[in-house]
Amino acid sequence: MRFKALLLIILISLVSCKDSKKNNETKQVSEIKPEINLQKQIDDCEHQLEIAVPKLTDLTKHPRLIDTDKKEWKEVGNDKLIWTSGFYPGVLWYAYDVTGNERWKEEATKRTEVFEDFKNITEHHDIGFMMFPAYGKGYEIGKKEEYKDILLTSAASLATRFNPNVGTIKSWSTKMHPRWKQHITIIDNMLNLELLFWAAKNGGDQKFYDIAVKHAETTMNNHFREDLTSWHVIEYDSINGNVLNRHTKQGFADDSRWSRGQAWGVYGYTMVYKETKDKKFLDFAQKITDKYLDLLPEDMVPAWDFDVQSNPKEEKDASAAAVVASALLDLSTMVESKEDQERYYNAAIKMLESLGSDKYSAVGKADSFLLHSTGAKSLGHEIDVALIYADYYYIEALSRLKKLEAKK
Ligand code: GLY
């Protein structure tokens, strides 16, 4: 009997010894901080620009995408209906920011100043996406004071699309998107609020701030499912503001979880908290970010829609990863607990590490920074390509990281 008890004690202590060793190992693994070679990733971007920029000489066009297995940018016209005009100048402003190389400032200035008249766009909400990366970053990074009035006019143009009955900006017109007849708001619209916040802080009307906050509140109430994933398109009744339909344009299905849509939400609410310091927006930004992080695959780059991700043949969307990496670096500086700060920072680093790796980097393969983005698979275009906005948010993230590291 006594022998059996002794045997039991030995067994228990062996097991607990093994468990504590396992705990130590787990602790050691979780204490390993993800690291990237930031300077190398910045150098890679500059190297890519040295190849691409001399080929992009036509100022009436801007680079939009590089098709699968192609090397060079496909350019589209400087058209006020094309939402991506601002990203190439934006890439160049950030290139100047991270390298200090005057060549990129000159190029950025040249590429920005070709579409000043877009400040009067009232046909759609994308004026924020178009003007802020170009004129906004030129003002901030390039110290171009003369861009201020252009940005203020752009904000006023965007504000004309706000419908107080609904409490949001109307993203699209029925003419361009005939499936919807009334007031359409898409999750992407969150990014355009940055222009309004900027304008309110820089001599513009207080109403720009109020519109941005109201839009963010209404979107928070209507644009997310119970599981904290985002719908893409909401159609509201223009008169009474009721939600009529919840649909998609670029996702796999009306009720599926389009990855870049969730990414716009993460970036949008992080930015709204940064501008308002209203805790409800921080809480919400964290909730939707945590949901996004939960859904990610091993390499931190989602498939173009989370609802097709279980099929390994479905294409990735590196642009969503770049958008979220940039947002997370900001979020990591705004959350209170050290644990959350590290969690978001480490997730951003892992995303950037993955994007800079051979799997996603375009170095030696094409003229962009990144490969493997998907613009709109549901519409049959821009599938597994390089996209200019993926590059923009990627270099923005590198710039944010460089500033964070310099502060340490
Ligand atoms: N804002 C358009 C897109 O994300 O494709």
Side-chain angles (χ1 to χ4, degrees), residues 242-400:
N242 289 343
V243 172
L244 298 175
N245 288 299
R246 292 183 165 97
H247 288 150
T248 197
K249 179 93 179 184
Q250 283 154 268
F252 167 69
D254 277 336
D255 61 354
S256 72
R257 298 165 297 177
W258 178 47
S259 317
R260 197 164 60 256
Q262 190 78 10
W264 293 138
V266 168
Y267 193 110
Y269 281 96
T270 300
M271 177 270 295
V272 172
Y273 174 68
K274 183 158 86 174
E275 298 296 338
T276 60
K277 297 289 176 287
D278 183 337
K279 190 81 171 36
K280 70 172 184 273
F281 292 126
L282 178 62
D283 291 344
F284 193 66
Q286 282 198 255
K287 281 184 193 154
I288 60 176
T289 299
D290 292 347
K291 184 68 195 186
Y292 176 92
L293 294 175
D294 275 355
L295 292 169
L296 282 182
E298 187 86 358
D299 71 358
M300 307 298 275
V301 179
W304 65 281
D305 189 300
F306 286 118
D307 285 286
V308 300
Q309 192 163 262
S310 57
N311 179 353
K313 290 200 177 115
E314 288 290 348
E315 295 78 8
K316 294 279 194 172
D317 184 13
S319 76
V323 168
V324 173
S326 185
L328 283 177
L329 290 170
D330 261 7
L331 190 59
S332 73
T333 65
M334 298 189 291
V335 287
E336 267 171 32
S337 82
K338 184 122 180 61
E339 192 196 325
D340 282 342
Q341 288 167 13
E342 282 186 3
R343 197 160 61 80
Y344 294 134
Y345 179 87
N346 289 345
I349 299 297
K350 279 196 206 159
M351 286 171 200
L352 291 175
E353 182 185 26
S354 187
L355 292 173
S357 72
D358 196 44
K359 185 170 173 191
Y360 292 99
S361 167
V363 174
K365 298 172 193 157
D367 292 355
S368 55
F369 302 157
L370 301 179
L371 300 172
H372 307 309
S373 290
T374 297
K377 181 161 178 180
S378 54
L379 306 176
H381 52 79
E382 299 181 340
I383 303 165
D384 193 21
V385 297
L387 288 169
I388 191 65
Y389 46 94
D391 284 11
Y392 173 79
Y393 290 101
Y394 176 64
I395 196 167
E396 179 181 79
L398 296 180
S399 156
R400 286 181 176 180

Side-chain angles (χ1 to χ4, degrees), residues 43-55 101 103-104:
D43 291 347
D44 281 350
C45 290
E46 187 161 37
H47 170 76
Q48 294 301 88
L49 287 176
E50 276 159 5
I51 298 169
V53 169
K55 300 180 194 171
N101 186 342
R103 176 181 176 192
W104 308 130

